[in-house]
Amino acid sequence: MQGQILDFDSNIPIAFAKIKYNNKTISSDWEGKFSLVIQDDKQPILFSYKGYFDRNYFFTIGAKNLLIKMTANDLLKEKEIYSENNVNNIIKKIVENKSRNQLEKAFKTYEYKNYENLLVTANPDSISSKIDTVYKRNFLGKTKITLDSVNYKFKKILEKQHVYQTEKVNQIQYNGSSIKETILAARMAGFKQPLYEYLGLNLVSYSLYSNKLQILEIPVENPISDYGRKLYVFKLIDTVKVNGRSAYRIYFQPKKLQSNRLRGLLYVDIENYGIAKAFYKIYGIINVNATYIFKYLKNEQLWFPEKRKIIVVKGNNSEDLKILGGTIKFNSSLEKLTKDASDRVYLKLESTPYDIKINEPEIFSQPNIKIDARSVSNTKPDLFWNTIKKDTVDSRKIRTYTNLDSLSIAGNIEKKLIFGRKVFNGYLPISFIDIDLKTLVKYNNYEGFRLGIGGVTNSKLSENYKVSFYGAYGLKDQKFKFGITPSYLLDKETNTSISASYSDDLNEIGQIQFATEPRRFKFYDSRPFNISTFYRNKMSSAFIESKYFAKTDAYFGISRSEVTPLFDYLYLLDATNYSKYTITSAQFAIQWNPFSTIMQTTAGRLELNKQYPKFSFQFTQTLPQILGNDFVFSKVDLKIVHEIPYLSGQNTSFTFQGGLATGNIPLTHLYSIAPNNLNRESLFKRITFASRNGFETMFFNEFFSSRYLSFQVRHTFNKVKLAYKIKPVVAVVTRLAFGTIDAPQQHEGFEYKTLEKGFFESGVEVNQIFKGLGVVGFIRYGPNSLPTFTDNISIKLSYVFDLGF
């Protein structure tokens, strides 16, 4: 009889549980599985494990597979388990010997090529070929009979080919201080040119000795790191042979019984304490199974990678797992609760190193460019792939390329993908112009509905020149606005371009903008709905943008603005009242993403595997007596964004932002810190759309600062299934800000408050309840809370528009 032991609440397998039957004791393996020969069905089977209640089971005649669910003892549920001293000493020695076994510390240089194959597939034998009969009722109440042949058709397809597959060959080099990957060749079923996003995909870490392991591009604490020993408990199972050498077999799991953190088996060389083999598993929203195999190099006395494999299947959730921009359904239910054939699909990635060179001179340029894809080719002949393959090519792989290539030609998949990318970024390509979707319709309290059109020329017109433009008309203020920006690409490889611009438009007062922030398309922008205080800005500028330094976006520009406040306001300076003024300034901005992976392509530099924190810095200085400049002031702005993703699907984000303005600076260019609340008496009259990072309980124009600090933290939980198709995303948010203002007597005709005592708000967001719509609620508290309780409450609608990419 085959069986498996699981935790009752989490469905996580219980490893090495004791199984007593007929005066004999065996153990489950590290996946909770066991095999038992039943001789007497009258004898009970006893299952026991520390922290769980014992369970008795009597064999049922005819049963082949047994699923045992053990219940945790609540008194020990949160209790941590500790390692025994002998295995703890072994783990300690593994950590101490990292410098001896980690490739980057053991060798001066190394290099190897790596063949990588990714499959999305399923075992045809796991899918039933039965054609199901489905009964449905129509509006008259009569039963309608239909035949569901989806599973049957899917099985027939899988017998001939895989769902999808890609291959690549890369070269990994280490020069003594940094690692670089050069992609030599790639092919993707259905595409003539490979997708750069796939080429930079790293589902699992190359090294097992780093403090953090990368699992599906999410950092996970390594059990053999110093801190990892505080999170995991280790159990010495036995001693085995690996490549003829003795090795400890050690199981590890989280100290808390029901945690879905990493679990696995380590095979540790008894002599040098290097890892000879490793298996990792994660059970949760997705189930991950990673395998590492090493070979022993006798001359170097070190274990070198021989193969790594990762399999990803759907876990204990009902949501789809998105891989490579598409939605693929995975399921690993041990109880086979679903009949959906697509739930049998899994993703498998295998990589095999070859052509290994150690301690030879290694020289490569631009070490900050971690992935070089300039020489990648998608047109290598089959002979090339056959010479480097390290596994057998099954007939299904060959048919996958043939069939998907035909499908791509017939369906223009590549053109559709390029089209989709542009729409995702907010553009609709029409011939040699990409229409800017963000310019078509807007609304705010000053202009009313703002109708317009804009766009930018694309590569069909020129690879080096482009012109962006827009024009708009406000139905309420009955004014026309426009802007035009011609640009020239100086260097394609570093995305360096020079531009000139002229615009006659409106700007929100007190707005905080970073010149290097990437454009993110929004189907609608909620904050301008409520804004009524603008200034007219006739601006001429020249600027240069570049990614010359890896992991950075840099901007430098000089601009001249003619500013006219469109509200009751005067700026008093040296006994002169300014109702309009001219500002000539220079601005330098840089965004630094030190932990992201940068890929160099023939089309420029791409940021892949985006990691946090990210830093944005900006300095603005007016230029005295140049082009009619009226005021002398300086501004320094800083923003730090950090996100912590979890394999469970949850996410925690932090945003720290601050600004310092010194000199003679009018209210239009001070800081209002993104308020988003209407100053109306009734709570229900203040219901509008929520913003992403604005202060929802702070009224427009309520506070202004010449220096400020703000901080916000947001934790987003997994989707909560309330009913069919109602699966909201819940988040909790807290925001705070402090600020002060210099020379308040210089601002006349406009009432405002300052933030010396601080501003505090917290709330709950319930987003995407139905068709993208949600509800958020915030409360304002602390020294700046208002006397009337309901004035401190803000209820808003939220909307998330999902393009499906």
Side-chain angles (χ1 to χ4, degrees):
M1 183 184 65
Q2 307 296 324
Q4 187 174 28
I5 309 172
L6 305 178
D7 179 277
F8 182 85
D9 296 311
S10 65
N11 276 342
I12 293 175
I14 299 176
F16 302 106
K18 290 184 179 179
I19 306 163
K20 293 182 180 179
Y21 170 73
N22 201 19
N23 296 322
K24 292 182 180 179
T25 301
I26 63 171
S27 294
S28 61
D29 66 12
W30 76 289
E31 294 181 293
K33 295 178 181 178
F34 64 90
S35 180
L36 198 63
V37 177
I38 303 298
Q39 298 171 332
D40 181 4
D41 59 4
K42 299 284 196 273
Q43 290 285 334
I45 308 170
L46 176 64
F47 299 90
S48 61
Y49 191 77
K50 186 177 181 180
Y52 288 82
F53 291 108
D54 291 350
R55 177 164 180 192
N56 275 319
Y57 178 83
F58 286 90
F59 175 70
T60 303
I61 296 174
K64 295 181 180 178
N65 296 297
L66 179 61
L67 196 66
I68 295 294
K69 290 195 172 184
M70 296 184 67
T71 305
N73 186 338
D74 289 337
L75 297 176
L76 302 174
K77 198 171 186 180
E78 297 299 324
K79 189 175 179 179
E80 291 186 351
I81 305 171
Y82 295 93
S83 306
E84 296 176 357
N85 284 335
N86 59 340
V87 69
N88 202 42
N89 289 332
I90 296 172
I91 300 302
K92 188 178 179 182
K93 288 181 180 179
I94 296 174
V95 176
E96 291 172 350
N97 282 274
K98 274 187 181 183
S99 58
R100 178 182 175 182
N101 294 301
Q102 189 172 1
L103 300 184
E104 292 77 32
K105 295 180 179 179
F107 299 141
K108 293 180 180 178
T109 65
Y110 67 79
E111 171 189 318
Y112 63 88
K113 293 186 177 68
N114 187 64
Y115 166 71
E116 193 168 281
N117 177 37
L118 183 147
L119 285 176
V120 179
T121 188
N123 182 358
D125 295 336
S126 68
I127 300 169
S128 171
S129 59
K130 180 182 176 182
I131 299 178
D132 294 326
T133 303
V134 181
Y135 297 89
K136 294 182 179 180
R137 288 186 174 274
N138 58 25
F139 67 98
L140 296 175
K142 294 181 179 179
T143 300
K144 179 182 177 183
I145 301 175
T146 60
L147 297 179
D148 182 4
S149 60
V150 173
N151 287 8
Y152 173 80
K153 292 177 181 177
F154 191 45
K155 180 182 177 73
K156 291 299 180 185
I157 292 172
L158 284 170
E159 287 173 349
K160 297 178 181 178
Q161 67 176 72
H162 298 291
V163 178
Y164 193 76
Q165 72 178 10
T166 63
E167 294 172 283
K168 76 174 180 181
V169 176
N170 55 1
Q171 183 182 45
I172 307 297
Q173 295 172 293
Y174 174 68
N175 68 354
S177 59
S178 60
I179 299 174
K180 186 165 187 174
E181 175 185 355
T182 303
I183 300 171
L184 305 176
R187 63 175 176 178
M188 304 181 68
F191 294 90
K192 292 180 180 177
Q193 295 299 324
L195 299 178
Y196 288 119
E197 289 84 352
Y198 158 71
L199 297 180
L201 190 68
N202 185 20
L203 296 181
V204 287
S205 296
Y206 281 97
S207 173
L208 296 185
Y209 293 97
S210 305
N211 286 331
K212 298 281 187 181
L213 298 175
Q214 291 288 330
I215 307 289
L216 300 184
E217 301 187 339
I218 293 175
V220 178
E221 194 66 46
N222 192 340
I224 60 169
S225 67
D226 288 328
Y227 188 71
R229 291 167 58 200
K230 299 176 182 178
L231 299 175
Y232 298 93
V233 61
F234 299 87
K235 181 180 178 65
L236 180 60
I237 307 303
D238 53 20
T239 303
V240 295
K241 290 286 185 180
V242 180
N243 284 7
R245 293 179 62 84
S246 297
Y248 298 116
R249 189 163 67 114
I250 299 172
Y251 174 72
F252 67 88
Q253 69 177 40
K255 285 190 175 181
K256 291 189 177 180
L257 291 172
Q258 294 184 315
S259 171
N260 62 357
R261 200 184 294 273
L262 205 63
R263 288 165 161 78
L265 278 177
L266 298 176
Y267 292 73
V268 181
D269 192 303
I270 287 179
E271 293 182 20
N272 64 12
Y273 294 97
I275 298 176
K277 194 187 296 185
F279 300 92
Y280 298 110
K281 272 190 178 290
I282 295 174
Y283 302 93
I285 294 297
I286 52 174
N287 287 354
V288 181
N289 188 348
T291 301
Y292 286 83
I293 298 174
F294 298 82
K295 62 180 177 181
Y296 188 71
L297 305 181
K298 291 183 179 179
N299 294 334
E300 290 77 13
Q301 296 183 342
L302 185 139
W303 292 90
F304 199 90
E306 184 175 20
K307 183 178 282 286
R308 66 187 179 123
K309 179 172 70 173
I310 181 172
I311 296 176
V312 182
V313 297
K314 191 175 178 182
N316 58 3
N317 70 313
S318 58
E319 298 301 318
D320 295 338
L321 173 65
K322 292 186 177 181
I323 297 291
L324 295 175
T327 301
I328 303 167
K329 293 182 180 179
F330 297 113
N331 188 281
S332 63
S333 172
L334 295 165
E335 298 174 277
K336 300 181 180 180
L337 297 177
T338 176
K339 295 181 179 179
D340 190 347
S342 62
D343 285 344
R344 307 288 182 224
V345 175
Y346 62 89
L347 179 147
K348 182 174 74 172
L349 180 142
E350 287 184 299
S351 66
T352 307
Y354 66 101
D355 285 356
I356 301 167
K357 298 176 183 178
I358 296 172
N359 291 335
E360 295 185 7
E362 292 293 339
I363 299 174
F364 55 78
S365 60
Q366 299 176 307
N368 284 330
I369 304 294
K370 293 299 181 185
I371 305 176
D372 190 337
R374 284 174 291 189
S375 59
V376 65
S377 170
N378 202 34
T379 56
K380 294 279 188 183
D382 289 340
L383 182 62
F384 167 82
W385 294 101
N386 293 335
T387 57
I388 57 94
K389 277 187 172 64
K390 300 298 175 184
D391 59 350
T392 9
V393 179
D394 61 56
S395 58
R396 289 204 293 164
K397 283 186 179 180
I398 298 172
R399 291 194 187 104
T400 304
Y401 280 118
T402 308
N403 294 342
L404 284 176
D405 283 340
S406 302
L407 177 64
S408 178
I409 295 169
N412 290 322
I413 290 177
E414 287 181 279
K415 289 183 179 179
K416 290 177 181 177
L417 182 62
I418 294 170
F419 177 86
R421 279 176 172 170
K422 290 191 174 184
V423 172
F424 181 75
N425 288 314
Y427 292 97
L428 178 66
I430 299 176
S431 185
F432 59 86
I433 294 177
D434 295 340
I435 301 298
D436 189 344
L437 300 175
K438 198 174 181 182
T439 62
L440 300 180
V441 181
K442 292 183 180 181
Y443 179 86
N444 61 67
N445 283 334
Y446 185 85
E447 296 176 283
F449 280 102
R450 172 181 167 129
L451 308 179
I453 190 167
V456 59
T457 58
N458 56 40
S459 57
K460 288 184 179 179
L461 183 67
S462 172
E463 290 280 352
N464 297 320
Y465 296 93
K466 69 176 181 180
V467 178
S468 59
F469 58 91
Y470 72 89
Y473 182 79
L475 298 183
K476 187 175 179 180
D477 69 340
Q478 299 181 347
K479 298 291 184 182
F480 181 72
K481 298 91 182 174
F482 68 93
I484 186 168
T485 305
S487 301
Y488 176 69
L489 185 62
L490 295 174
D491 183 36
K492 193 173 186 179
E493 192 169 281
T494 60
N495 304 90
T496 302
S497 61
I498 187 169
S499 307
S501 178
Y502 179 80
S503 63
D504 184 352
D505 207 340
L506 304 183
N507 288 84
E508 176 191 349
I509 68 169
Q511 194 173 20
I512 304 168
Q513 286 185 323
F514 285 82
T516 52
E517 282 192 345
R519 171 197 170 101
R520 302 185 73 176
F521 172 61
K522 298 178 181 178
F523 180 69
Y524 77 103
D525 194 358
S526 58
R527 281 197 74 251
F529 274 48
N530 311 318
I531 300 170
S532 56
T533 45
F534 292 88
Y535 62 90
R536 186 179 181 185
N537 186 11
K538 292 183 179 180
M539 186 173 74
S540 306
S541 65
F543 55 92
I544 185 169
E545 298 171 288
S546 180
K547 294 184 178 180
Y548 181 81
F549 297 102
K551 303 187 179 185
T552 64
D553 289 293
Y555 169 96
F556 177 75
I558 297 176
S559 64
R560 180 182 186 272
S561 297
E562 295 178 16
V563 177
T564 305
L566 300 176
F567 52 96
D568 187 16
Y569 174 70
L570 292 174
Y571 183 62
L572 178 62
L573 179 63
D574 298 331
T576 302
N577 285 326
Y578 289 87
S579 60
K580 54 184 177 180
Y581 34 86
T582 299
I583 295 176
T584 305
S585 64
Q587 187 176 77
F588 170 75
I590 187 168
Q591 180 171 312
W592 181 42
N593 307 327
F595 302 103
S596 293
T597 299
I598 303 300
M599 173 186 281
Q600 182 70 63
T601 74
T602 54
R605 292 179 178 174
L606 299 177
E607 181 189 3
L608 301 174
N609 188 20
K610 298 178 182 180
Q611 297 290 330
Y612 293 88
K614 296 185 175 187
F615 303 86
S616 297
F617 172 82
Q618 187 164 275
F619 176 70
T620 307
Q621 176 65 55
T622 58
L623 306 175
Q625 300 177 350
I626 293 180
L627 299 177
N629 178 61
D630 287 319
F631 310 128
V632 179
F633 63 82
S634 305
K635 293 179 73 174
V636 178
D637 298 290
L638 173 68
K639 180 161 73 171
I640 303 172
V641 178
H642 186 50
E643 288 190 11
I644 303 175
Y646 305 99
L647 281 169
S648 64
Q650 301 184 48
N651 179 285
T652 304
S653 64
F654 306 88
T655 302
F656 171 83
Q657 193 164 313
L660 171 64
T662 59
N664 300 312
I665 179 166
L667 193 75
T668 52
H669 288 63
L670 290 177
Y671 303 110
S672 68
I673 324 182
N676 192 39
N677 201 16
L678 293 174
N679 194 358
R680 294 176 181 171
E681 293 181 1
S682 169
L683 172 63
F684 294 101
K685 289 182 179 179
R686 295 196 298 268
I687 294 178
T688 55
F689 281 96
S691 61
R692 171 66 179 174
N693 294 314
F695 284 78
E696 301 297 342
T697 61
M698 184 185 292
F699 296 111
F700 285 100
N701 307 323
E702 184 179 4
F703 297 95
F704 281 87
S705 306
S706 55
R707 62 195 69 185
Y708 80 98
L709 293 173
S710 71
F711 178 77
Q712 60 178 289
V713 57
R714 173 194 304 270
H715 183 83
T716 304
F717 297 92
N718 295 323
K719 287 185 177 181
V720 180
K721 187 174 182 179
L722 300 180
Y724 178 66
K725 290 190 176 181
I726 300 180
K727 302 171 186 176
V729 177
V730 179
V732 291
V733 185
T734 290
R735 301 187 179 102
L736 59 91
F738 290 88
T740 185
I741 194 167
D742 297 330
Q745 70 279 0
Q746 292 181 313
H747 310 287
E748 296 186 349
F750 196 87
E751 293 184 3
Y752 60 89
K753 296 186 289 186
T754 56
L755 281 169
E756 285 87 356
K757 294 181 180 180
F759 187 95
F760 305 87
E761 72 172 23
S762 296
V764 177
E765 299 181 353
V766 186
N767 299 311
Q768 303 179 59
I769 297 174
F770 186 71
K771 300 293 185 181
L773 284 169
V775 178
V776 307
F778 281 82
I779 184 170
R780 169 175 173 169
Y781 53 92
N784 273 300
S785 60
L786 301 172
T788 305
F789 176 74
T790 54
D791 289 344
N792 296 305
I793 303 295
S794 175
I795 297 174
K796 303 283 178 67
L797 301 175
S798 68
Y799 183 70
V800 177
F801 180 68
D802 188 359
L803 287 169
F805 294 102

